[in-house]
Structures are given as structure tokens and as C-alpha cells.
């Protein structure tokens, strides 16, 4: 989002959202400058607002600081309460949920920890700070004490509960301070496990260490094995690339356009992939067809640009051979200079074409199930979004990245990296995340509801401003869903818009990315703003993913990595990589 668009977006924010925006800016200012050096002008500058706007919402710097501390304490309390509620009735699960909540990026990012301890350091001198800090600490201690008491009674354990509860509280606090010292080197997962080990000293049966997992290559038959990843060498190998193109991508369905991009007879959209040129066009009968974009005379492209309109005939710009919208050869320039031509046998070569859920697909090799057959498990969910009624919301985007197509989907198809890789997106997600691979159709559904109190300004504003979408059932009105069609297409369904993400191999270790967003016409101000916030959040996720993917691709190509392992949260990767192994068995071989 450019600066002008962002300022216009902010100008339309309701008053409570501006207040939250200022608090977010105050958190950043405190982290960068410390409490004593924060000024209202610095906060206003970070928020992109005027000093007068700060004074409108907060009478003084002290009012702003107190509201900032109150919001942080409330966020932590709410996060702990929801974590315990989601954990169920088992006290050991609830205790670990409290621990994980304490290290959640919403409250335990380096920025927020720095701010919390800044307030904590001043709390002895200010009663209002002390009241908020002490209340937060007391609530956590009481929750821990109550859960430990329940565990002790169940296990008939003789422990001094006050000391045990204070010990866990102190450990969480010490690890949080250690995070501020170690910064990027700090291991958040190890911090959670350190707390588990502390609890295991008190309640060994309830917090026993999980069974040690082994690599498949290790000779310990009694230990459960972690599924291996594809070997690293397969992510940039010319032979594997050629086999994948031939066996996986040429027979695959590729998303070309939305039907709204072809409103009239003669409208077309071109498509290039895998060394092939193609186009889709709406005919006089209203049907949409696909052809190779190759003139039968001398192989020039008959249609130019990404999209356009043909008036009457498709005319090749090289030698003016002309074709009808249904592909028949209609005219040959200087026809008398050729021997007698069988025009019926020299029409444009057709390709398999299918319109499904408002999108136009084609494939370069026939055979296999249709898009509708493969996406049948999600037909009802797709129909609820009324995709056929949508129109383009953004410009078409295409780009190239130095990463293998498998590397990109390995990243996209798992949420294990969200807490550290996408703290903004993670702050928007509810705890329950659907991971649903379908081996029969080779499709995957990923889905999550929106969290009640998201973290981060953009995600919080999005969740708060998202208006009602009357045609959606209640279950989809606040849910983000991603439907993956192996090997390269994802439909990303949101209450306010939809986009597709299409990945194509461009060479060994290189890929083409295609993207565009669509939406049903809706001029409500809240909907316009919500869509801008959605794109803002997902643009940031895209940038974060690009950095992660490039780093992984570099690591896959080095000497230190042969094969990795997959955990339970990576069930979709197991399915995805399993499909690749079936199509290209040599991709599973170690070297």
C-alpha cells in the first residue's frame, strides 16, 4: 500500500481504531526510546497522525502511557484465559497452555517485552503502574496455583504449592528477560520446554518428556520414526525438474483467468508456462475455449499481450493468417501462392478447458479427472462465496523467485512457522487450525476462524471493521480458508474477497508466481477499508514468506542438508511430498 493510500485509509478509521493505532505507536516508541524519552510528537509521527489527534484522544502523555500498559495487561489476561479455556479440563494441559500463552508473540515479542519491563521498572515509583502490573502478575500466579493444587490432589503429591507456583512464575519471568538479552538467538520453543521440565520435576507422570523421535536412518526400531522430507538435492536438480514438468505439471490444471475477465465474445486472456503459449477466448456462442497460442503457418503467437479483444477474427501479426474464435482457419493471405490448402486441418490446436467456480482452467495434456471432480469435497464452501459474481479487485501480478516450486509449497502448506514467521497473521488466527489433505483428490484444505482479540494494528482493525456478509453462512463469515489443487493452484477464500495463488516451475530451483484478487461489488465504506487491510496483512505475509523461502532454498542447495523430518503440524507436507514421490519416484532417493 503506498503512502497516499495508507493515509487515506487511516483518515477513514473510526475513533476507537485511531485510539488503538496510537497505542500501537506508543508501544513502538517506548521500545525504541524508553519511557522517559517518549513524546506525543514521536507517537504521532509513528502513527502517521497529527499531534492534535493525539491530544484529542489522550489529555497527556501520562494518559497515553497508562492506556498502553492497561491494554498490554488486558491482552495478556485475555490470552491466558482463552488458552486455558481451549485446553479443556485437564490441569496439566491448562498449565502448559498458560506457559505457551506467556511466550505468545502477541505479548512476548521482543518489542512488547521491552515495553512491559520498562513499565515494570517504573512501577515502584508510580502507584497506577504498580496496580496494573501487580494485578496481571497476581492473576497469573492464582491461575497457576489453582491448577497445581488440582494436580497435586489428583496425584496425591506432597509439594509446597505456594513455592511451586512462584517457581513457575519466576521461571517464565527469567526466560522472558533472557529473551531480551539473547534477542534473535533466543529459542522460544526451548523456553516452553524448560517450563515443562520444571513442571515434570513436580509432577513426573503429568509432564513426562515425549518419546524421543528418530530419523528413519537410525537403527532404533523401538522408537517412533519421523517422516522424512524430500532430499535436498531434488530442489534444484535439472533431471528432477524435467521429470516434474513432464509427469506433474504438463498434465496439471492451470488457472488462467476469471470469467469476468472475458465478458464479451472475442475477449481473450493469454497464458505462458512450461515452454508453452496458450490463450482462452469467449466465442460467439458464449462458451470459453482454450488453444495453443501458435500460428499453424510459422509458429508466431496469434494473440499478443496478457489480455485483449479480437474484432471478428484472430489475425496473426506475422503473415496475417486469420482464425475464427472457435479456432478454425478462415483466411490465408496470398493464398494463391500456396498449393491447395486443407483449411480444415490447419486450425488452431485446442487444449482441454474447464470453467469451475468462476475460474477458467486449461491443461496441456489430457486425461485424468476434471477440476470439478477434484474439488468436489469443497463444492458447498466454494458455492457459498458466489465466486462467479466477483470481478477483479487488483491488477494481475506475476513475478519470479529463485526458489523451487516445491520449496514454496513446502512453506505455504504448513502453519508450524506462523508464530515466528508471521506474527501478524498468527495474531489473527484462532487456536484451532484445520489441516485436511485429501489423498483421493490430491487437494488440501487449510482453514482457521478469526481470533476474538487479534494482536497488531492491521489485524485488529481488520477483525473489528469486517462487516457482515449476508450471503455467507455463519460458519464462514469470520473464517479464512485456503484450497490447494495439486500441484500448483491455491484459492484463498476470505469473507471480504478471494484471490488465487499459482506457482509454476521456471527451471531447476526457480519458479513463477501468479496472483490476483477478486471481490463481489460492495461499496460499503467498511468493506472497502476491510479489503485494504486484508491486502495489507497478506502483502506483509508474502514478503515474510519470500525471505523464508529464499533462505530455505539456499540451505537445500548446500552440503549441510540431506534430508529433514516432518512433525504432526506438517501433515499437509507429508501428503504433498508423498504425491511427488508417487509421480517422480526418483525424487525420494538419497544421494
Amino acid at each position: 500500500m503506498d503512502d497516499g493510500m495508507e493515509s487515506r485509509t487511516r483518515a477513514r478509521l473510526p475513533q476507537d481504531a485511531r485510539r488503538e493505532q496510537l497505542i500501537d505507536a506508543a508501544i513502538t516508541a517506548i521500545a525504541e526510546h524508553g519511557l522517559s524519552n517518549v513524546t506525543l510528537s514521536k507517537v504521532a509521527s509513528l502513527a502517521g497522525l497529527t499531534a492534535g489527534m493525539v491530544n484529542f484522544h489522550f489529555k497527556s502523555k501520562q494518559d497515553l502511557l497508562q492506556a498502553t500498559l492497561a491494554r498490554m495487561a488486558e491482552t495478556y489476561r485475555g490470552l491466558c484465559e482463552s488458552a486455558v479455556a481451549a485446553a479443556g479440563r485437564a490441569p496439566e494441559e491448562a498449565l502448559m497452555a498458560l506457559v505457551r500463552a506467556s511466550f505468545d508473540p502477541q505479548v512476548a515479542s521482543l518489542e512488547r517485552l521491552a515495553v512491559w519491563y520498562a513499565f515494570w521498572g517504573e512501577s515502584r515509583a508510580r502507584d497506577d503502574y504498580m496496580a496494573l502490573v501487580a494485578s496481571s502478575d497476581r492473576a497469573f500466579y492464582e491461575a497457576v496455583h489453582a491448577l497445581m493444587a488440582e494436580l497435586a490432589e489428583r496425584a496425591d503429591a506432597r509439594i509446597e504449592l505456594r513455592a511451586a507456583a512462584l517457581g513457575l512464575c519466576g521461571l517464565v519471568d527469567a526466560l522472558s528477560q533472557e529473551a531480551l538479552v539473547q534477542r534473535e538467538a533466543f529459542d522460544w520453543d526451548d523456553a516452553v520446554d524448560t517450563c515443562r521440565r520444571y513442571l515434570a520435576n513436580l509432577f513426573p507422570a503429568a509432564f513426562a518428556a515425549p518419546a524421543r523421535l528418530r530419523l528413519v536412518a537410525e537403527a532404533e526400531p523401538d522408537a517412533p520414526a519421523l517422516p522424512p522430507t524430500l532430499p535436498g538435492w531434488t530442489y534444484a536438480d535439472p533431471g528432477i525438474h524435467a521429470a516434474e514438468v513432464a509427469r506433474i505439471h504438463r498434465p496439471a490444471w492451470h488457472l488462467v483467468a476469471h470469467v469476468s475477465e472475458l465478458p464479451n465474445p472475442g475477449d481473450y486472456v493469454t497464458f505462458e508456462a512450461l515452454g508453452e503459449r496458450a490463450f482462452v477466448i469467449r466465442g460467439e456462442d458464449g462458451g470459453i475455449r482454450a488453444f495453443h497460442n501458435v500460428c499453424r503457418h510459422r509458429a508466431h503467437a496469434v494473440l499478443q499481450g496478457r489480455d485483449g479483444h479480437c474484432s471478428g477474427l484472430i489475425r496473426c501479426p506475422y503473415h496475417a493468417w486469420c482464425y475464427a474464435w472457435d479456432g478454425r482457419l478462415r483466411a490465408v493471405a496470398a493464398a494463391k501462392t500456396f498449393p491447395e490448402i486443407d483449411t480444415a486441418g490447419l486450425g488452431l490446436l485446442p487444449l482441454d478447458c474447464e470453467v469451475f467456480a468462476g475460474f477458467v482452467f486449461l491443461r496441456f495434456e489430457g486425461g485424468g479427472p476434471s477440476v470439478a471432480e477434484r474439488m468436489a469435497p469443497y463444492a458447498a464452501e466454494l458455492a457459498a462465496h458466489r465466486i462467479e459474481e466477483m470481478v477483479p479487485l487488483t491488477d494481475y501480478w506475476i513475478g519470479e523467485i529463485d526458489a523451487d516450486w516445491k520449496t514454496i509449497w513446502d512453506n505455504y502448506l504448513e502453519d508450524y512457522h506462523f508464530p515466528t514467521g508471521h506474527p501478524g497473521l498468527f495474531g489473527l488466527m484462532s487456536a484451532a487450525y484445520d489441516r485436511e489433505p485429501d489423498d483421493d483428490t490430491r487437494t488440501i484444505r487449510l482453514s482457521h476462524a478469526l481470533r476474538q482479540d487479534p494482536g497488531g494494528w492491521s489485524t485488529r482493525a481488520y477483525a473489528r471493521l469486517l462487516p457482515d456478509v449476508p450471503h455467507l453462512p455463519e460458519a464462514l463469515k469470520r473464517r479464512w480458508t485456503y484450497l490447494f489443487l495439486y500441484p500448483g493452484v491455491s484459492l484463498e477464500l476470505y469473507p471480504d474477497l478471494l484471490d488465487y495463488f499459482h506457482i509454476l516451475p521456471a527451471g531447476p530451483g526457480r519458479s513463477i508466481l501468479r496472483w490476483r484478487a477478486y471481490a463481489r461489488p460492495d461499496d460499503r465504506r467498511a468493506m472497502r477499508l476491510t479489503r485494504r487491510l486484508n491486502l495489507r496483512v497478506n502483502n506483509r505475509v508474502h514478503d515474510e514468506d519470500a525471505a523464508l523461502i529464499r533462505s530455505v532454498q539456499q540451505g537445500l542447495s548446500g552440503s549441510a542438508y540431506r534430508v529433514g523430518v516432518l512433525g504432526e503440524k506438517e501433515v499437509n507436507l507429508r501428503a504433498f511430498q508423498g504425491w511427488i514421490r508417487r509421480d517422480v519416484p526418483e525424487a525420494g532417493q538419497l544421494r
Side-chain angles (χ1 to χ4, degrees):
M1 186 181 294
D2 60 51
D3 293 340
M5 181 180 292
E6 189 163 349
S7 64
R8 292 193 296 273
T9 298
R10 286 172 173 167
R12 285 197 289 268
L13 284 173
Q15 300 304 319
D16 57 345
R18 281 206 188 96
R19 182 181 173 88
E20 294 299 305
Q21 184 181 346
L22 288 167
I23 291 176
D24 281 335
I27 290 173
T28 300
I30 296 167
E32 291 181 358
H33 305 290
L35 278 174
S36 60
N37 293 321
V38 169
T39 64
L40 294 184
S41 61
K42 288 178 180 176
V43 173
S45 177
L46 285 169
L49 299 172
T50 65
M53 186 60 68
V54 184
N55 290 323
F56 176 79
H57 289 282
F58 301 99
K59 295 179 181 179
S60 65
K61 168 186 169 179
Q62 197 52 49
D63 285 345
L64 173 60
L65 294 180
Q66 187 170 2
T68 300
L69 178 57
R71 208 271 294 278
M72 294 184 67
E74 177 59 30
T75 300
Y76 184 34
R77 181 165 52 251
L79 194 64
C80 289
E81 289 174 354
S82 60
V84 171
R89 301 182 62 181
E92 62 271 26
E93 293 296 331
L95 272 171
M96 287 307 300
L98 278 175
V99 169
R100 285 188 288 270
S102 298
F103 297 111
D104 189 290
Q106 292 183 75
V107 296
S109 67
L110 295 178
E111 179 183 75
R112 290 174 183 267
L113 285 175
V115 173
W116 180 260
Y117 284 114
F119 279 111
W120 185 83
E122 294 290 326
S123 62
R124 293 184 180 180
R126 293 195 59 90
D127 291 341
D128 50 355
Y129 292 175
M130 177 60 77
L132 287 167
V133 170
S135 174
S136 179
D137 289 347
R138 171 60 60 177
F140 185 80
Y141 165 79
E142 289 176 350
V144 169
H145 189 282
L147 291 168
M148 284 186 172
E150 186 178 347
L151 267 174
E153 182 179 1
R154 189 181 71 182
D156 194 24
R158 296 183 179 181
I159 63 172
E160 209 294 304
L161 286 173
R162 183 172 183 276
L166 285 173
L168 182 60
C169 295
L171 179 58
V172 169
D173 191 51
L175 289 168
S176 299
Q177 293 182 49
E178 185 178 338
L180 285 174
V181 175
Q182 294 188 10
R183 302 189 70 78
E184 287 76 13
F186 185 75
D187 190 331
W188 297 94
D189 291 333
D190 184 68
V192 173
D193 195 57
T194 298
C195 293
R196 182 200 60 77
R197 291 194 295 271
Y198 169 81
L199 290 167
N201 288 331
L202 303 172
F203 308 101
F207 296 96
R212 190 177 77 83
L213 297 169
R214 64 178 177 87
L215 296 177
V216 173
E218 291 180 346
E220 293 186 31
D222 59 330
L226 280 165
T229 64
L230 290 171
W233 71 271
T234 65
Y235 287 79
D237 181 78
I240 291 295
H241 168 74
E244 289 170 347
V245 168
R247 302 178 210 168
I248 296 176
H249 294 280
R250 287 189 60 83
W253 286 105
H254 301 285
L255 192 158
V256 180
H258 187 267
V259 291
S260 63
E261 298 171 75
L262 303 157
N264 303 306
D267 290 341
Y268 68 85
V269 176
T270 63
F271 177 72
E272 293 189 21
L274 315 174
E276 302 278 13
R277 291 192 310 245
F279 68 90
V280 294
I281 188 168
R282 190 179 288 277
E284 289 185 271
D285 59 358
I288 296 176
R289 299 173 177 83
F291 299 95
H292 284 278
N293 191 8
V294 177
C295 182
R296 298 297 302 279
H297 172 225
R298 293 271 299 281
H300 196 280
V302 296
L303 291 176
Q304 312 301 306
R306 197 242 164 196
D307 52 41
H309 175 79
C310 298
S311 297
L313 293 172
I314 301 170
R315 184 176 183 274
C316 178
Y318 196 10
H319 298 101
W321 281 38
C322 296
Y323 302 86
W325 295 339
D326 61 7
R328 291 176 295 160
L329 178 62
R330 296 294 299 273
V332 175
K336 292 182 180 180
T337 65
F338 290 86
E340 186 174 346
I341 294 177
D342 177 14
T343 57
L346 286 175
L348 296 173
L349 295 179
L351 291 165
D352 284 355
C353 182
E354 181 178 352
V355 177
F356 173 76
F359 285 103
V360 184
F361 293 80
L362 64 75
R363 58 184 173 187
F364 293 107
E365 291 184 8
S370 67
V371 178
E373 289 171 327
R374 291 185 59 191
M375 299 293 276
Y378 324 110
E381 187 168 5
L382 286 163
H385 284 270
R386 299 186 185 177
I387 302 169
E388 296 86 351
E389 302 172 13
M390 295 183 176
V391 295
L393 181 67
T394 66
D395 292 336
Y396 171 73
W397 180 87
I398 186 169
E400 187 167 344
I401 186 171
D402 288 331
D404 193 70
W405 69 279
K406 300 188 296 296
T407 309
I408 301 171
W409 287 120
D410 284 351
N411 175 81
Y412 179 93
L413 293 172
E414 54 94 346
D415 59 296
Y416 182 31
H417 71 286
F418 283 10
T420 50
H422 305 304
L425 177 61
F426 183 68
L428 187 67
M429 297 166 47
S430 65
Y433 193 89
D434 298 339
R435 311 174 187 95
E436 301 170 352
D438 188 315
D439 200 52
D440 293 331
T441 61
R442 292 196 177 188
T443 57
I444 294 174
R445 178 180 180 272
L446 308 90
S447 184
H448 64 84
L450 301 184
R451 187 174 293 190
Q452 290 296 324
D453 183 26
W457 175 80
S458 295
T459 51
R460 189 163 51 254
Y462 172 86
R464 182 172 300 169
L465 296 174
L466 177 64
D468 180 60
V469 184
H471 68 272
L472 286 178
E474 286 299 321
L476 300 181
K477 288 188 175 183
R478 299 186 68 81
R479 175 168 288 275
W480 287 14
T481 298
Y482 316 90
L483 301 177
F484 171 65
L485 178 70
Y486 175 82
V489 176
S490 174
L491 298 180
E492 305 180 332
L493 308 172
Y494 310 98
D496 48 305
L497 60 87
L498 170 148
D499 63 49
Y500 73 79
F501 193 46
H502 188 190
I503 301 170
L504 294 158
R510 294 185 298 110
S511 300
I512 297 292
L513 284 65
R514 303 174 63 244
W515 175 90
R516 196 169 195 180
Y518 304 82
R520 295 178 71 251
D522 189 334
D523 288 332
R524 290 178 291 174
R525 187 174 70 171
M527 182 59 81
R528 294 199 305 269
L529 181 54
T530 296
R531 286 169 175 168
R532 291 188 181 188
L533 289 166
N534 182 316
L535 295 174
R536 179 184 176 90
V537 170
N538 279 300
N539 284 341
R540 178 173 294 178
V541 171
H542 170 81
D543 292 342
E544 292 165 345
D545 274 333
L548 295 170
I549 289 164
R550 290 189 182 97
S551 176
V552 170
Q553 184 68 36
Q554 184 177 1
L556 290 167
S557 303
S559 62
Y561 187 92
R562 291 189 69 210
V563 66
V565 293
L566 298 173
E568 292 180 359
K569 288 190 174 183
E570 297 162 302
V571 60
N572 294 334
L573 266 68
R574 278 183 266 170
F576 169 68
Q577 296 190 4
W579 300 334
I580 294 170
R581 284 188 175 95
R582 290 183 217 169
D583 292 336
V584 185
E586 56 266 41
Q589 299 174 1
L590 285 172
R591 283 185 176 178

